[in-house]
Amino acid sequence: MKTIDSDFYKNSDDFFAANAGVGLTYDDVSLATCFSDVLPRMTSLATSISDKINLSIPIMSADMDTVTESSMAIAMALHGGIGMIHYNMSFADQITEVCKVKTYIHGMNRHPATITADLTIGDVIEIIDRNGYGFSSFPVIDKEGRLLGLVRGGVVKNRHADRKVADVMIPRDQVLTINEKELGNDPIATADRIFLDHIGTNKLLVVDDNNYLKGLFCLSDVEHIRDEITTDAIRPSRDESFRLRCGASVAVPRYPDGKVNYDALNEHVSNLVAAGVDAVIISTAHGHSAGVGECVRFVRQHFKELTIIAGNVTSAEGVEFLADAGADSVKIGQGPGSICSTRIVAGVGIPQLTALYVSAQAGKAKGVRIIADGGITKSGDIVKALTQADCVMLGGMLAGCKEAPGKIMEINGKLYKEYRGMGSMEAMRHGSAARYGHDLRNSKVTKVAPEGVEALKEVSGSVDQVLTTLAGGVQSGLGYLGAADLPALRKNARFIRVTSAGQRESAPHDIVEIKQK
Ligand code: XMP
C-alpha cells in the first residue's frame, strides 16, 4: 500500500533497485524505525551458518593471525558465536589450536592430561609450566593407560618437589570413578548427581571394564554447563558432545605449476576433522576462481557432513558458483576490511552493503548462508549487515581484545595490540600468500604487491565486553524496527540514503566528548 512513508523509506528490494549501479556501504544508509511492541532485551539474535551449526549471536571472529587462535575461538564460542582459527602456522600447530577449543570446558574430557607414578612433583610442575596448563590435578596411569590414582592440585607445590607421585597420590580405590557404561544418555546429569552425592570432591574419572582411563569430569565444568542449561543466558556454541564449536581456515594448496594439490588438501582437512573441527573456511581474496571452486568441490565430495564456508566474493554469480561447488556459507567482502588495501592496489571491490544485497539475492535462491566479512566498525553496521546476511565476520573489532594473539604494547601511555592484513607483506611471509594468489617461496618478494597493511589496535578489554556491547547494540536496532528476531529484521528493514551532512549528524557532534562509552 502506498503511504507517505513508502515514498521515502524503501524496503531492501526497492531501495537497492532504485540505487542500481551505485556502490553503497554502511554509512551511506540508515534504517527507518517501525512501530514496535518488542523490547530490545526480548529479541533473539539466533542464526545459523549451515544446517548443522546454530549460533546464538550472529558473529564470527576472522581467520586472521592477529585475531583468532584458540583463546579467541573459546571466548567466541562461550558467548554464542564462533571463531575461525587462522592457517598462518604449521598444520600441526593449527590442529593443536583446534584441539584446545574442542577439549575446553565440556561434558567429559576424553583426553585428560595424565602423569605416571614414577615422576616427582617437581617433574609435574615442569610439565604444567611447559604446556601452560591452567590446572594442577592429574589422573595417574600406568604405561598402558590403566588408572592408578589421582594427584590433587594441593600437593603440586614446590616444597613437595622431591616427592614421588606414587607416594602422594590418592590411590585408585579412593578415587571417585564411574564406569563409562553407567554414564547413560545424559552424562552431565549423571556426573552432576554423583558430585552432589560426594560434596568436597571435584574430579570424577571415567574408566572402562578393564580400568583403562576413558575420561574426566571436573565439577566446575559440570556446574558451568548445568547453569547454561537451567538459565536463559546466551547459549555457548556447542556440538552434540557439549564441546565448544570452532572452525579452521584452509588454504588452497598448490603445486609450483599452480595446480591444486589435492593430497595436501585431503590430509589437512582429514586432520582437522579428526581433531573435531566444526567448519572449514576456504578463505581467499578471490573466491569466484577456478582453484577455490575445485577445492570446495573436493572437500564437499570427501567430507559430506562438514560445514564449508568459502569466499570471498561480491557478486551473485560468485555466490552461485560457490554454492554449486558445495559451500554451506559464502563470505562476502572484497576490500571493505579496516586493514585492506585491495581496492587501492588492485582497483577492485564493491562497497559492502551493495555487495551484500546482490549476494544475498543469490544466497536465497541457492539456499546458502551469507556472511558479511569486513568493514564493520560499530554495532549499527552489524544491524545493517544483518538485513542481508546471516552472520558477520569481525577482524578489527576483536583484534584489540586480550584473547587475540599477540602481546600488548605500550606507546605514549596507551595500550595497543598488533593488527595486520593477511595480505600484508609480513603476514604473507608467514604463510598467507596463497590467499592472495602469490607464492612467496618462488617469487621475488619485490614483485608481490601487498593488499593489506600492518597496524595497531587500541586494547579493547575482553571478548565478553566487546560482544556484550555489540549484541546489546544489535538488540536495540531490532527493537527500533519492531523485530523480535533476525528474519523479522530482514522483513521490516526500510532504508534511506544519507548525505554527508546526515552522516555528520549521525555521530556525536559539536561537543567536547569526555567519555566515549
Ligand atoms: P575488519 O574490517 O573487520 O576486516 O578489520 C576483516 C576482514 O578483512 C579481510 N582481510 C583483508 N582484506 N587485504 C584485504 O584486502 C588484507 O590484507 C586482508 N586481511 C584480512 C578478511 O576478509 C577479514 O575477515
Side-chain angles (χ1 to χ4, degrees):
M1 190 183 59
K2 192 167 156 55
T3 65
I4 299 172
D5 285 337
S6 65
D7 280 340
F8 283 87
Y9 311 136
K10 306 283 189 197
N11 68 35
S12 291
D13 286 344
D14 292 345
F15 176 79
F16 286 101
N19 285 286
V22 180
L24 298 172
T25 193
Y26 301 123
D27 282 347
D28 291 320
V29 305
S30 193
L31 288 161
T33 51
C34 303
F35 168 76
S36 181
D37 58 358
V38 176
L39 290 175
R41 66 181 157 77
M42 291 158 45
T43 58
S44 158
L45 301 183
T47 192
S48 61
I49 55 167
S50 69
D51 289 346
K52 293 181 101 182
I53 302 185
N54 298 317
L55 304 176
S56 61
I57 62 165
I59 300 179
M60 63 171 66
S61 63
D63 51 324
M64 296 173 72
D65 61 5
T66 46
V67 180
T68 311
E69 289 178 359
S70 54
S71 301
M72 175 63 71
I74 288 168
M76 290 300 297
L78 284 174
H79 290 88
I82 190 165
M84 298 291 147
I85 293 171
H86 71 88
Y87 60 49
N88 259 5
M89 54 180 117
S90 69
F91 283 1
D93 286 348
Q94 195 193 33
I95 304 288
T96 304
E97 291 301 299
V98 170
C99 287
K100 283 186 195 164
V101 182
K102 300 305 292 184
T103 54
Y104 192 70
I105 301 176
H106 43 176
M108 182 175 93
N109 183 344
R110 286 176 199 283
H111 305 286
T114 53
I115 53 176
T116 47
D118 54 330
L119 297 178
T120 62
I121 292 297
D123 297 331
V124 177
I125 293 172
E126 205 219 302
I127 290 172
I128 294 173
D129 290 345
R130 191 168 359 108
N131 293 286
Y133 290 145
F135 52 86
S136 52
S137 295
F138 294 88
V140 183
I141 53 169
D142 66 15
K143 298 243 163 351
E144 275 73 48
R146 280 179 291 252
L147 183 64
L148 296 178
L150 176 76
V151 161
R152 283 245 171 88
V155 298
V156 183
K157 299 265 158 66
N158 276 322
R159 64 201 179 97
H160 302 308
D162 294 335
R163 301 188 67 181
K164 276 251 154 28
V165 164
D167 299 334
V168 296
M169 70 183 187
I170 303 170
R172 166 72 182 86
D173 56 350
Q174 290 170 35
V175 176
L176 188 61
T177 58
I178 181 170
N179 188 306
E180 61 182 347
K181 286 184 187 153
E182 291 160 18
L183 285 171
N185 290 335
D186 188 350
I188 285 292
T190 308
D192 194 36
R193 225 176 12 253
I194 294 175
F195 281 125
L196 283 173
D197 289 344
H198 295 82
I199 289 186
T201 308
N202 59 10
K203 297 278 180 292
L204 171 63
L205 302 184
V206 183
V207 290
D208 67 8
D209 289 341
N210 298 315
N211 193 35
Y212 282 97
L213 181 66
K214 289 292 166 184
L216 170 149
F217 285 98
C218 291
L219 175 62
S220 56
D221 294 356
V222 171
E223 285 177 339
H224 198 109
I225 295 167
R226 293 299 284 170
D227 285 350
E228 277 167 24
I229 294 168
T230 51
T231 66
D232 277 339
I234 279 184
R235 290 282 166 93
S237 309
R238 293 191 184 281
D239 63 18
E240 308 72 31
S241 313
F242 278 103
R243 298 178 304 178
L244 295 179
R245 288 201 187 275
C246 77
S249 195
V250 171
V252 178
R254 292 181 193 270
Y255 291 110
D257 65 1
K259 292 217 170 72
V260 175
N261 180 342
Y262 289 111
D263 290 338
L265 180 63
N266 191 30
E267 188 189 338
H268 189 185
V269 178
S270 299
N271 286 333
L272 287 170
V273 169
V277 84
D278 297 283
V280 292
I281 176 159
I282 299 169
S283 232
T284 65
H286 188 14
H288 192 182
S289 57
V292 179
E294 283 171 40
C295 265
V296 174
R297 211 165 292 118
F298 180 87
V299 177
R300 175 49 69 231
Q301 224 171 18
H302 292 81
F303 303 90
K304 296 217 165 16
E305 298 300 312
L306 184 62
T307 291
I308 304 175
I309 304 169
N312 280 15
V313 302
T314 47
S315 63
E317 282 173 11
V319 173
E320 287 161 5
F321 173 76
L322 292 175
D324 289 343
D328 298 282
S329 282
V330 179
K331 216 150 58 80
I332 313 302
Q334 277 160 335
S338 56
I339 32 52
C340 301
S341 53
T342 295
R343 293 191 199 155
I344 312 288
V345 171
V348 172
I350 305 289
Q352 185 69 345
L353 199 58
T354 296
L356 283 174
Y357 175 72
V358 173
S359 306
Q361 298 312 298
K364 261 183 260 167
K366 286 285 178 184
V368 293
R369 274 70 165 182
I370 296 293
I371 297 170
D373 177 17
I376 284 171
T377 58
K378 45 203 176 299
S379 53
D381 296 345
I382 302 182
V383 179
K384 293 170 191 174
L386 292 173
T387 64
Q388 313 302 321
D390 298 277
C391 187
V392 299
M393 173 173 262
L394 303 183
M397 292 212 75
L398 295 169
C401 292
K402 70 175 169 51
E403 293 88 346
K407 290 201 176 66
I408 292 176
M409 51 192 117
E410 190 181 332
I411 303 174
N412 293 336
K414 280 199 166 169
L415 300 178
Y416 297 92
K417 283 191 107 161
E418 187 191 356
Y419 180 44
R420 66 185 185 197
M422 293 295 276
S424 67
M425 193 55 85
E426 263 317 289
M428 287 203 289
R429 265 192 244 277
H430 280 82
S432 59
R435 183 171 176 147
Y436 293 86
H438 300 303
D439 181 355
L440 288 187
R441 287 162 312 174
N442 298 318
S443 331
K444 288 226 170 67
V445 166
T446 47
K447 282 192 189 158
V448 173
E451 290 180 32
V453 298
E454 291 161 53
L456 296 176
K457 285 297 283 187
E458 233 180 281
V459 166
S460 53
S462 63
V463 167
D464 177 38
Q465 291 161 323
V466 172
L467 290 185
T468 304
T469 309
L470 291 180
V474 177
Q475 287 187 303
S476 291
L478 265 66
Y480 278 113
L481 266 70
D485 53 23
L486 297 182
L489 169 70
R490 265 160 238 145
K491 188 160 151 274
N492 296 359
R494 294 177 304 167
F495 289 95
I496 187 131
R497 264 185 89 169
V498 178
T499 62
S500 55
Q503 281 171 18
R504 186 167 173 274
E505 184 188 65
S506 298
H509 54 88
D510 300 306
I511 48 157
V512 178
E513 209 164 319
I514 51 172
K515 207 171 173 193
Q516 284 199 323
K517 283 177 191 160

